[in-house]
């Protein structure tokens, strides 16, 4: 298994340009996630999906869109790039909520190598 | 709001010593916690996890301790090696399928 793959690895955009960050996983995971990581900071959830055709907003969804037409792919779309979107973007996937009692839980998330995006 | 945080942004240890990385969480409803390791230029890598019905879990050279009374999580690395140098993140599940990540602690191993 290749796990979680992301393309491109690097990209420079001009303000106002658009692009799609690709993410594919071959582990047949239902759950997929997009995070951004600013320099020296932790990860912030942008969007996530619990299965094909279902997506939901995370902590910082503004300026982004996602779609989930297949189990394997979860692209992230930037429509009007802004300097504030300069960051490293990570895609992740997991199999299903955890088995612990007491409510939901996220099973281990496996991360891709990241896409470093710079908006000038 | 609810958050996960770390006490020390940078931890420097001698090779062969044990390392302890700490994490405080604020949501008492969180039921699942994970430690991730992130090397420079790479994505986070799963190290170990623990459910809220446990207070200790051991892996290979790593141990996670959970103290729900004081909402504290720690990662212990035995016999720290140069390859352990990285940024370590704790994360908690407190809202369905979403994880909240802490800010990270950089571990530096001196030869």
């Amino acid at each position: 298994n290749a796990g979680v793959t992301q393309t491109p690895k690097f990209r420079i955009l001009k303000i106002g340009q658009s692009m799609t960050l690709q993410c594919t996983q071959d582990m047949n995971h239902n759950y997929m996630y997009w995070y951004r990581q600013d320099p020296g900071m932790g990860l912030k959830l942008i969007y996530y999906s619990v299965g094909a055709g279902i997506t939901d907003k995370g902590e910082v969804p503004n300026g982004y869109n996602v779609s989930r037409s297949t189990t394997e792919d979860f692209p992230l779309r930037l429509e009007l790039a802004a300097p504030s979107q300069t960051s490293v973007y990570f895609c992740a996937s997991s199999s299903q909520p955890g088995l612990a009692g007491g409510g939901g839980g996220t099973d281990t998330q496996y991360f891709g190598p990241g896409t470093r995006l710079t908006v000038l | 709001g609810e958050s996960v945080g770390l006490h020390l942004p940078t931890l420097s240890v001698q090779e062969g010593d044990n390392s302890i990385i700490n994490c405080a969480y604020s949501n008492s409803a969180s039921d699942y916690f994970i430690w991730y390791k992130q090397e420079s230029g790479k994505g986070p890598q799963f190290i170990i996890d623990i459910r809220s019905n446990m207070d200790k879990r051991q892996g290979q050279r790593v141990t996670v301790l959970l103290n729900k009374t004081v909402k504290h999580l720690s990662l212990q690395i035995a016999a720290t090696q140069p390859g352990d140098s990285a940024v370590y993140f704790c994360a908690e599940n407190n809202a369905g399928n979403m994880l909240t990540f802490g800010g990270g602690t950089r571990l530096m191993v001196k030869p």
Side-chain angles (χ1 to χ4, degrees):
Chain A
N1 285 351
V4 181
T5 57
Q6 292 182 239
T7 57
K9 292 185 178 180
F10 305 94
R11 184 72 184 268
I12 298 176
L13 286 180
K14 295 182 179 179
I15 294 172
Q17 286 185 319
S18 62
M19 78 164 293
T20 299
L21 283 68
Q22 301 292 343
C23 175
T24 300
Q25 53 90 10
D26 62 0
M27 297 174 281
N28 201 32
H29 284 170
N30 286 326
Y31 297 85
M32 296 187 74
Y33 313 81
W34 273 107
Y35 295 89
R36 60 176 287 171
Q37 184 178 34
D38 298 331
M41 304 292 286
L43 290 88
K44 293 190 175 180
L45 183 66
I46 305 171
Y47 270 95
Y48 70 102
S49 168
V50 302
I54 306 170
T55 64
D56 209 345
K57 296 179 180 179
E59 183 183 357
V60 289
N62 291 344
Y64 307 94
N65 278 301
V66 294
S67 60
R68 185 90 183 275
S69 57
T70 66
T71 299
E72 295 78 20
D73 301 305
F74 190 39
L76 177 71
R77 180 81 177 164
L78 283 71
E79 292 292 350
L80 292 171
S84 62
Q85 293 178 305
T86 294
S87 190
V88 180
Y89 292 84
F90 290 101
C91 179
S93 71
S94 65
S95 58
Q96 60 188 4
L99 302 179
T106 304
D107 208 342
T108 304
Q109 293 184 16
Y110 296 91
F111 284 81
T115 294
R116 184 175 296 275
L117 176 66
T118 302
V119 182
L120 301 173
Chain B
E2 304 290 2
S3 64
V4 173
L6 296 175
H7 297 303
L8 299 173
T10 302
L11 177 65
S12 184
V13 300
Q14 203 71 37
E15 180 179 358
D17 288 350
N18 297 333
S19 302
I20 299 176
I21 301 173
N22 296 302
C23 178
Y25 66 96
S26 56
N27 189 343
S28 56
S30 294
D31 61 359
Y32 179 60
F33 304 87
I34 308 176
W35 280 102
Y36 283 94
K37 172 186 179 183
Q38 186 176 25
E39 296 174 280
S40 181
K42 296 183 179 180
Q45 178 186 5
F46 171 85
I47 301 174
I48 192 168
D49 61 358
I50 190 168
R51 309 286 180 187
S52 59
N53 60 353
M54 303 172 68
D55 54 19
K56 180 179 180 179
R57 191 170 188 207
Q58 288 184 290
Q60 188 176 16
R61 279 202 309 119
V62 295
T63 301
V64 55
L65 299 177
L66 176 62
N67 186 331
K68 294 183 288 292
T69 302
V70 295
K71 287 181 248 171
H72 185 266
L73 191 69
S74 69
L75 176 71
Q76 300 179 0
I77 304 173
T80 312
Q81 302 169 1
D84 295 327
S85 294
V87 176
Y88 290 81
F89 293 95
C90 64
E92 65 176 320
N93 169 265
N94 56 17
N97 303 308
M98 293 191 288
L99 291 177
T100 299
F101 283 80
T105 292
R106 182 174 301 280
L107 177 64
M108 299 176 63
V109 182
K110 297 177 289 187

